[in-house]
Amino acid sequence: GQQLNQSPQSMFIQEGEDVSMNCTSSSIFNTWLWYKQDPGEGPVLLIALYKAGELTSNGRLTAQFGITRKDSFLNISASIPSDVGIYFCAGQRGRDDKIIFGKGTRLHILP
Amino acid sequence: GAVVSQHPSWVICKSGTSVKIECRSLDFQATTMFWYRQFPKQSLMLMATSNEGSKATYEQGVEKDKFLINHASLTLSTLTVTSAHPEDSSFYICSARTGLYGYTFGSGTRLTVV
């Protein structure tokens, strides 16, 4: 079945540092999504990407849809404590297809 | 914006009993809703796709007789875990399609079976 490989699995950073995480797939997706999940909550959409090569920003977050349509990355600049959480990439082949989630990247900010 | 309300937030039940979880779209109509299951420190796994007025489509390996899904209206889908056992303890999350590619998730239900 389709799988998304998300890395790194976890990150420990200092406040103020930039963060980068990525997602790769063995198959093509036509939509890439990045979500953040706080403990005990459902995921919240951060950025949606619909075109190969697309680069989209949302505040301190920037995400790109890989040109091959098999990968995507998410960058967070100047991290702050509220960035702590789990970040999931997700892919979708077509509008009526299910969303496939990566395993998540757990972001920790050291005091 | 589109809001999906999930209830209850957490529930503890005895082994062998059934538990119903509700997922409501508050300010939009959702013809399609999705039910996910998430174990601690793991990703979201799609259990089933719920379509208003028709039978749910279950993912491979998900027992349809154990996880009963009803989507009787355009704003409500329910997941009933029947004859729950401790291994059913998990975080259950619903989501609804809100646009061409938009999906909004509920806040999840923590089920603990004792």
Side-chain angles (χ1 to χ4, degrees):
Chain A
Q2 297 174 353
Q3 288 188 340
L4 292 183
N5 300 308
Q6 187 171 350
S7 64
Q9 188 173 1
S10 63
M11 302 182 72
F12 293 82
I13 63 168
Q14 299 282 351
E15 182 178 350
E17 286 186 22
D18 296 342
V19 172
S20 184
M21 59 191 78
N22 67 79
C23 216
T24 60
S25 170
S26 58
S27 57
I28 288 173
F29 286 102
N30 291 307
T31 301
W32 282 93
L33 306 162
W34 285 93
Y35 289 88
K36 179 175 184 259
Q37 185 180 30
D38 291 324
E41 298 288 334
V44 174
L45 181 66
L46 299 174
I47 293 179
L49 302 159
Y50 304 120
K51 294 181 182 178
E54 179 181 357
L55 182 71
T56 298
S57 293
N58 178 8
R60 295 178 294 107
L61 278 61
T62 301
Q64 184 158 30
F65 190 147
I67 197 70
T68 64
R69 293 192 284 165
K70 292 183 179 181
D71 64 305
S72 177
F73 72 73
L74 174 70
N75 288 341
I76 306 173
S77 62
S79 58
I80 60 177
S82 60
D83 290 335
V84 167
I86 305 174
Y87 292 80
F88 289 101
C89 65
Q92 188 181 28
R93 296 188 69 181
R95 177 182 178 273
D96 295 325
D97 288 335
K98 60 187 178 183
I99 295 176
I100 307 296
F101 281 85
K103 293 186 183 298
T105 295
R106 285 157 182 77
L107 180 62
H108 307 269
I109 296 184
L110 300 170
Chain B
V3 176
V4 173
S5 174
Q6 191 170 339
H7 178 81
S9 299
W10 58 270
V11 57
I12 301 173
C13 71
K14 290 186 176 181
S15 188
T17 62
S18 296
V19 173
K20 180 184 284 188
I21 302 170
E22 294 186 348
C23 183
R24 293 181 184 274
S25 58
L26 295 188
D27 48 2
F28 66 100
Q29 293 183 331
T31 55
T32 304
M33 291 185 174
F34 304 87
W35 287 96
Y36 294 82
R37 184 174 182 176
Q38 185 179 31
F39 289 108
K41 297 187 178 182
Q42 294 193 22
S43 187
L44 285 77
M45 298 301 298
L46 181 65
M47 299 176 65
T49 301
S50 168
N51 296 296
E52 186 269 335
S54 63
K55 291 183 178 180
T57 302
Y58 290 82
E59 294 299 300
Q60 189 173 8
V62 177
E63 300 176 60
K64 55 184 71 176
D65 293 332
K66 181 166 187 61
F67 299 100
L68 301 179
I69 291 173
N70 185 283
H71 195 158
S73 78
L74 287 171
T75 59
L76 174 64
S77 176
T78 61
L79 168 67
T80 301
V81 183
T82 62
S83 186
H85 289 94
E87 57 266 30
D88 297 324
S89 298
S90 189
F91 193 54
Y92 293 86
I93 310 172
C94 68
S95 75
R97 179 177 286 151
T98 57
L100 189 61
Y101 285 103
Y103 293 84
T104 298
F105 285 81
S107 55
T109 297
R110 172 75 58 196
L111 170 64
T112 302
V113 184
V114 298

